[in-house]
Amino acid sequence: MKFSLALPREALSIPVVRRVVGDALRGLGVAEDCVADLLVAVSEACTNVVQHARATGTYEVTGQVDDEGCRLRIMDWGRGLRQAPDDDPGDMAESGRGIRIMRALVDELDIDTGDGRGTVVHLRKRLTWRDEALIRRLERELMHSAG
């Protein structure tokens, strides 16, 4: 499954992203703990766009789910990060905590940023599935017919 959203850079867009991503993952049968982790991570990335990208415009959220996992990409056309994504902001710093949260919740976090060309956040997570997931039923059906 693939999806793509183009959203206004407004705080009201974040619940829309959470709803679309969450409904898609749950509909496919992804385990709730994986859904929760991805929703927090994508919310952090979108919040960074809303707070730090340029004052007007849109941003994009694209996603792909397959048997290997979920890949989400959050892209804006803002000014880029002020600090390197690998810099440790410290425990009490307000800025930069979202990056640490995302890193803790997904298997891979890549941030591509540059002055004047915006920022692209790549989130990747291996998924676990509920027993009744469509993908599990298809696997059982294939095994039964092959067997």
Side-chain angles (χ1 to χ4, degrees):
M1 178 194 73
K2 292 181 182 181
F3 63 88
S4 178
L5 302 167
L7 302 146
R9 196 190 67 77
E10 297 176 11
L12 290 175
S13 68
I14 298 169
V16 172
V17 171
R18 289 179 59 87
R19 180 66 180 253
V20 170
V21 172
D23 286 353
L25 294 172
R26 288 182 187 104
L28 291 170
V30 175
E32 192 58 37
D33 60 332
C34 284
V35 173
D37 288 350
L38 283 163
L39 291 182
V40 172
V42 77
S43 296
E44 288 293 336
C46 293
T47 298
N48 285 342
V49 169
V50 168
Q51 291 179 350
H52 302 296
R54 67 182 160 169
T56 61
T58 62
Y59 68 104
E60 291 182 9
V61 177
T62 61
Q64 181 174 346
V65 180
D66 56 31
D67 57 345
E68 294 183 18
C70 179
R71 292 185 294 282
L72 297 172
R73 183 179 77 159
I74 301 87
M75 182 171 59
D76 70 58
W77 294 271
R79 63 180 176 258
L81 292 175
R82 291 185 210 171
Q83 73 181 46
D86 292 328
D87 287 352
D88 184 357
D91 290 336
M92 299 306 290
E94 185 169 330
S95 179
R97 282 187 283 179
I99 293 171
R100 289 177 29 185
I101 291 169
M102 287 185 283
R103 191 167 277 131
L105 295 172
V106 298
D107 297 311
E108 294 178 45
L109 168 68
D110 295 315
I111 301 173
D112 181 22
T113 188
D115 192 25
R117 63 180 173 89
T119 301
V120 181
V121 175
H122 300 271
L123 305 169
R124 293 175 200 88
K125 184 167 183 72
R126 289 180 299 281
L127 299 176
T128 55
W129 302 90
R130 296 188 319 258
D131 287 339
E132 70 276 9
L134 177 61
I135 197 164
R136 293 289 179 233
R137 289 188 304 208
L138 290 173
E139 285 174 352
R140 284 192 297 267
E141 195 171 301
L142 289 172
M143 290 182 72
H144 178 70
S145 65

